[in-house]
Amino acid sequence: MAKILLNKKNLFHNLNLISNQAGSKEKVAVALKDNAYGHGLKEIAKLASEFGIKKAAVRSHAEAMKIKDFFEYILILADNNITTCSDTFHVALNSFESIALLPNDINVHIKVDTGMHRNGILPSELEKTILKLLEKNMNITGVFTHHKSADNLLTDDFDKQNEVFSKVKEETKKICKKLSIEIPSFHSSNSSALFRHKSMDESFARVGIATYGYLETTPSDNLPPLKPVMSLWTNKVSSRILKKGETVGYGGTFMAHEDMNISTYDIGYGDGFLRLNEQHHYITPKGFELLGRVSMDYIALNSTDNEVCLFDDAKPLAKLHNTISYEIVTTLSRDLKKEIE
Amino acid sequence: MAKILLNKKNLFHNLNLISNQAGSKEKVAVALKDNAYGHGLKEIAKLASEFGIKKAAVRSHAEAMKIKDFFEYILILADNNITTCSDTFHVALNSFESIALLPNDINVHIKVDTGMHRNGILPSELEKTILKLLEKNMNITGVFTHHKSADNLLTDDFDKQNEVFSKVKEETKKICKKLSIEIPSFHSSNSSALFRHKSMDESFARVGIATYGYLETTPSDNLPPLKPVMSLWTNKVSSRILKKGETVGYGGTFMAHEDMNISTYDIGYGDGFLRLNEQHHYITPKGFELLGRVSMDYIALNSTDNEVCLFDDAKPLAKLHNTISYEIVTTLSRDLKKEIE
């Protein structure tokens, strides 16, 4: 049975780098959305909590419920289908219209669009939004934004968005003073942004991909020495000698140039290990070659080992798939067994 | 909340074409492995059973357990970690070595490698395998094989594998007669193979992708008129006017050429909707354009509709991703809500 092996030492190494950069463990919210980027929601929640992280960010209320015992503070980023809400949960408001969809009396973080133009209210809607939230007796516990290009040092998008958000923060403080309400938390840093700031003067950073050992900042000089947390392992199903001239798998796209020992292994794109075909060339960390096409439940390798590590770093696969490491780890099936080493 | 809508009429239309081609409903085993190719294991099991299908093929014992009440006969294709097994379950033997891993007294289908060179015993190992299975008091209820290129009319692989399997069948019958044991079921047809045979003289066909409305036979003339069963729907999160010159999403890779209404929708590659970026150009069935990059939880479209159908046919997306329709549907997250229309 294929499995995801989680390297606790690497995770703690990353969380240590992140906490130091943020200033303290209290200033880190670990992003656990999408099954902790494929790593296992509960597994990473438990480990992050053991490390001393107190805050988490998830996508849905259902995710928050699964990890509520591990954290003092949980930010729900994208869920309007909420009926009741724990005191430790804080719900992101992604549009003015969604105020009407949310229940009264909950904790809300207002998302402000500072230039990504994806979600959030406009800076000009700030006062209107705060007043509407107060009408529903909601606690405004946060105001935040998201960077579109914090991972790109070659543009000035990061600075521009920071400038807009600074004004949003000032404006928020003014409105709060006027209305005699508490000033909320402010946060804007994702992984890339956190490592670009010289010092973190906000309430906390929301750290996803760096937790798991990746950072795709361009150019990639001076990146923090993060270590991948996940490795993917697969077990042998059957072995045979592929004779010279014989082919293996669908379409017979790999042909043996000499007699060779091959085996099939129990993973495929049905497990979210994205499909490679004859146009790709992938070599496992131990040097085994992926032969022909990835099928739904199987791959073939020039190996007879009982268990093979398919990857311990998602970057080479991301490159082959013309995508980012995030997708390689996040698409892995939730049903894959998780083990902690 | 994003959802998968299952078109019952289209499913029954496909199952009707498949059953007619196979000779009867009894001669069809519907492949439900990998969450019914992403469509929902229980949902498709229930519907296929309602249509009158009696047999199913799954990957694991756990999958078989979830649908055992819907079928009289379930073939488990890839699971050696079985301790007990229902009388209605039949376990595929993918290698001689795995006999030792399986419990005694179960029903076994021997997989024979007739040229795909992926899984199965060699034809020369047939008698040895049967004798070993009998030692463990197993019931040999099936002998089967899998085609590597039934979807390719331009090679003779299909005929060659059929020839080898014909010999395997004859040899099996001889051995069974000699040992005074019952002759097992024989099956070799997947979706493509079923529609290539003029008449089905085997026990049943294992039909996966055709059930769901796809067949990727090359060249694609004279394909049966199958209809896609799945459509993928996503809900609006927030709308805004993207002004001329403004960009949306990560990297700001889509820029508006004039003021336009856009919205974000609640699906991303975290849901298994594979990531597209600025190198791709995707248009939804209703004509909305996917703007910029797919992010983990969101996409942006030039739409303000509350609910948008992202695809009702996986083929255009498969083409964009340089893959097959199977992968587009199968990688979708098990957590996506399923509705039946």
Side-chain angles (χ1 to χ4, degrees):
Chain A
M1 199 182 172
K3 72 175 180 206
I4 286 171
L5 193 61
L6 299 170
N7 188 315
K8 180 175 168 175
K9 222 170 108 183
N10 287 0
L11 176 67
F12 280 25
H13 165 87
N14 299 337
L15 289 174
N16 200 43
L17 285 173
I18 290 162
S19 303
N20 287 343
Q21 180 71 16
S24 74
K25 291 177 184 177
E26 280 66 32
K27 292 184 85 172
V28 176
V30 60
L32 298 177
K33 64 196 180 77
D34 297 286
N35 197 33
Y37 293 31
H39 291 66
L41 174 61
K42 280 196 177 168
E43 289 81 1
I44 299 292
K46 194 160 180 276
L47 290 169
S49 162
E50 186 187 326
F51 177 83
I53 302 291
K54 312 280 186 217
K55 297 184 182 72
V58 295
R59 189 171 171 188
S60 67
H61 185 261
E63 284 178 334
M65 286 303 289
K66 285 181 190 156
I67 57 162
K68 67 181 168 50
D69 296 337
F70 296 113
F71 300 98
E72 293 172 2
Y73 194 106
I74 300 179
L75 175 62
I76 299 170
L77 291 164
D79 198 342
N80 288 330
N81 298 304
I82 292 174
T83 47
T84 58
C85 209
S86 153
D87 281 354
T88 61
F89 294 178
H90 302 254
V91 179
L93 183 80
N94 287 307
S95 72
F96 182 79
E97 291 69 29
S98 53
I99 300 175
L101 305 173
L102 292 169
N104 292 3
D105 306 314
I106 60 171
N107 303 318
V108 169
H109 282 220
I110 301 170
K111 181 158 194 176
V112 184
D113 176 9
T114 56
M116 187 169 187
H117 302 319
R118 199 177 57 165
N119 292 314
I121 63 159
L122 299 176
S124 59
E125 294 176 308
L126 196 56
E127 184 157 8
K128 173 177 102 167
T129 304
I130 291 175
L131 290 170
K132 191 80 185 170
L133 289 166
L134 293 176
E135 264 180 39
K136 291 192 75 172
N137 202 31
M138 288 166 168
N139 306 312
I140 299 152
T141 51
V143 171
F144 74 111
T145 195
H146 196 62
H147 283 286
K148 68 175 174 182
S149 306
D151 58 351
N152 189 345
L153 302 174
L154 309 174
T155 75
D156 61 355
D157 291 335
F158 180 65
D159 298 326
K160 277 188 183 162
Q161 283 192 258
N162 282 330
E163 237 171 79
V164 176
F165 194 53
S166 286
K167 285 183 195 151
V168 167
K169 288 192 265 194
E170 288 317 308
E171 175 76 4
T172 305
K173 286 177 195 167
K174 265 190 223 161
I175 298 168
C176 290
K177 204 172 164 190
K178 195 170 73 180
L179 298 172
S180 299
I181 58 170
E182 217 171 310
I183 293 169
S185 298
F186 295 112
H187 51 103
S188 66
S189 285
N190 57 9
S191 294
S192 293
L194 172 67
F195 285 98
R196 286 183 72 169
H197 283 299
K198 288 214 173 58
S199 73
M200 251 287 290
D201 61 355
E202 295 185 346
S203 310
F204 59 87
R206 307 178 308 268
V207 186
I209 199 69
T211 302
Y212 308 109
Y214 302 96
L215 209 57
E216 309 210 340
T217 308
T218 310
S220 59
D221 316 330
N222 301 317
L223 286 181
L226 299 160
K227 295 180 181 174
V229 170
M230 170 194 291
S231 56
L232 180 65
W233 294 77
T234 179
N235 282 288
K236 189 167 73 175
V237 178
S238 88
S239 292
R240 69 203 63 240
I241 293 165
L242 194 66
K243 293 191 189 127
K244 183 179 174 178
E246 284 184 341
T247 66
V248 61
Y250 280 115
T253 57
F254 175 82
M255 186 186 284
H257 292 300
E258 55 189 348
D259 289 8
M260 62 195 286
N261 286 306
I262 68 163
S263 304
T264 51
Y265 289 84
D266 64 349
I267 198 160
Y269 62 81
D271 302 291
F273 179 73
L274 298 181
R275 185 172 173 269
L276 295 161
N277 62 25
E278 55 276 20
Q279 294 160 29
H280 305 101
H281 188 223
Y282 183 66
I283 303 285
T284 72
K286 204 173 158 182
F288 301 126
E289 187 183 352
L290 201 149
L291 310 174
R293 297 179 189 163
V294 170
S295 54
M296 197 182 292
D297 306 322
Y298 302 107
I299 56 165
L301 297 171
N302 58 345
S303 156
T304 54
D305 287 8
N306 284 324
E307 199 175 26
V308 169
C309 174
L310 255 181
F311 71 82
D312 53 14
D313 183 339
K315 288 193 290 292
L317 279 169
K319 203 171 168 192
L320 270 184
H321 284 292
N322 184 29
T323 189
I324 51 181
S325 54
Y326 302 60
E327 187 180 27
I328 300 301
V329 293
T330 306
T331 50
L332 288 171
S333 167
R334 282 155 213 241
D335 295 345
L336 285 166
K337 194 174 51 173
K338 312 286 184 308
E339 275 180 22
I340 296 163
E341 67 169 340
Chain B
M1 197 181 173
K3 72 175 180 204
I4 287 171
L5 193 61
L6 300 169
N7 188 315
K8 180 176 169 177
K9 220 170 109 185
N10 286 1
L11 176 66
F12 280 25
H13 166 86
N14 298 338
L15 289 174
N16 199 42
L17 284 173
I18 290 162
S19 303
N20 287 342
Q21 180 72 14
S24 73
K25 292 176 182 176
E26 280 66 32
K27 294 184 85 173
V28 176
V30 61
L32 298 177
K33 65 197 179 74
D34 297 286
N35 197 32
Y37 292 32
H39 291 66
L41 174 60
K42 279 196 178 168
E43 288 82 0
I44 300 293
K46 193 159 179 274
L47 290 170
S49 161
E50 186 188 326
F51 177 82
I53 301 292
K54 312 282 187 215
K55 297 184 182 73
V58 294
R59 188 169 170 188
S60 68
H61 186 261
E63 285 179 332
M65 286 302 288
K66 284 181 191 156
I67 57 162
K68 66 182 168 51
D69 296 336
F70 295 114
F71 299 99
E72 293 171 3
Y73 194 107
I74 300 180
L75 176 62
I76 299 170
L77 291 164
D79 198 342
N80 288 331
N81 298 304
I82 292 174
T83 47
T84 57
C85 210
S86 153
D87 282 353
T88 60
F89 293 178
H90 303 255
V91 179
L93 183 81
N94 286 307
S95 72
F96 182 78
E97 291 70 27
S98 53
I99 300 175
L101 305 173
L102 291 170
N104 292 2
D105 306 314
I106 62 171
N107 302 318
V108 169
H109 282 218
I110 302 170
K111 182 157 194 177
V112 184
D113 175 8
T114 56
M116 187 169 187
H117 302 318
R118 198 178 59 165
N119 292 314
I121 63 159
L122 300 177
S124 60
E125 294 176 307
L126 194 57
E127 184 156 9
K128 176 178 102 167
T129 304
I130 291 175
L131 289 170
K132 192 79 185 169
L133 289 167
L134 293 177
E135 264 179 37
K136 290 192 76 173
N137 202 30
M138 287 167 169
N139 305 314
I140 299 152
T141 51
V143 171
F144 75 111
T145 195
H146 196 62
H147 283 285
K148 68 175 174 183
S149 306
D151 59 351
N152 187 345
L153 302 173
L154 309 174
T155 76
D156 60 356
D157 291 336
F158 180 65
D159 298 327
K160 277 186 183 164
Q161 283 192 258
N162 281 329
E163 237 171 78
V164 176
F165 194 54
S166 284
K167 284 183 194 149
V168 167
K169 289 192 264 194
E170 288 316 308
E171 175 76 4
T172 306
K173 285 178 195 167
K174 264 190 221 156
I175 297 167
C176 289
K177 202 171 165 189
K178 196 169 75 181
L179 299 170
S180 298
I181 58 169
E182 218 172 309
I183 293 169
S185 296
F186 295 113
H187 52 103
S188 66
S189 285
N190 57 10
S191 293
S192 293
L194 172 66
F195 284 98
R196 286 183 73 168
H197 283 299
K198 290 217 170 57
S199 72
M200 252 285 290
D201 61 354
E202 295 185 345
S203 310
F204 60 86
R206 307 179 308 268
V207 186
I209 199 68
T211 301
Y212 307 108
Y214 302 96
L215 209 56
E216 308 209 340
T217 308
T218 309
S220 60
D221 316 330
N222 300 316
L223 287 180
L226 298 160
K227 295 179 181 174
V229 170
M230 171 195 291
S231 56
L232 181 65
W233 294 77
T234 179
N235 283 289
K236 188 167 73 176
V237 178
S238 88
S239 293
R240 71 203 62 238
I241 293 166
L242 194 66
K243 292 189 190 128
K244 184 178 173 177
E246 285 184 340
T247 65
V248 61
Y250 281 115
T253 57
F254 175 82
M255 185 185 284
H257 294 298
E258 55 189 346
D259 289 7
M260 60 194 288
N261 286 306
I262 68 162
S263 304
T264 50
Y265 288 84
D266 64 348
I267 198 160
Y269 62 81
D271 303 290
F273 179 73
L274 298 181
R275 184 172 173 271
L276 295 162
N277 62 24
E278 55 275 22
Q279 293 160 30
H280 304 102
H281 187 223
Y282 182 66
I283 304 285
T284 72
K286 204 172 157 183
F288 301 127
E289 188 183 352
L290 202 148
L291 310 174
R293 297 179 190 163
V294 170
S295 55
M296 199 182 289
D297 306 323
Y298 302 107
I299 56 166
L301 298 172
N302 58 344
S303 156
T304 54
D305 287 8
N306 284 323
E307 198 175 29
V308 170
C309 175
L310 256 181
F311 72 82
D312 54 13
D313 182 339
K315 291 192 288 293
L317 278 168
K319 205 173 165 189
L320 270 183
H321 284 292
N322 185 28
T323 189
I324 51 181
S325 54
Y326 301 63
E327 187 179 27
I328 300 300
V329 292
T330 306
T331 50
L332 289 171
S333 167
R334 281 155 215 241
D335 295 345
L336 284 167
K337 193 173 54 172
K338 311 288 185 304
E339 275 180 21
I340 296 162
E341 66 169 342

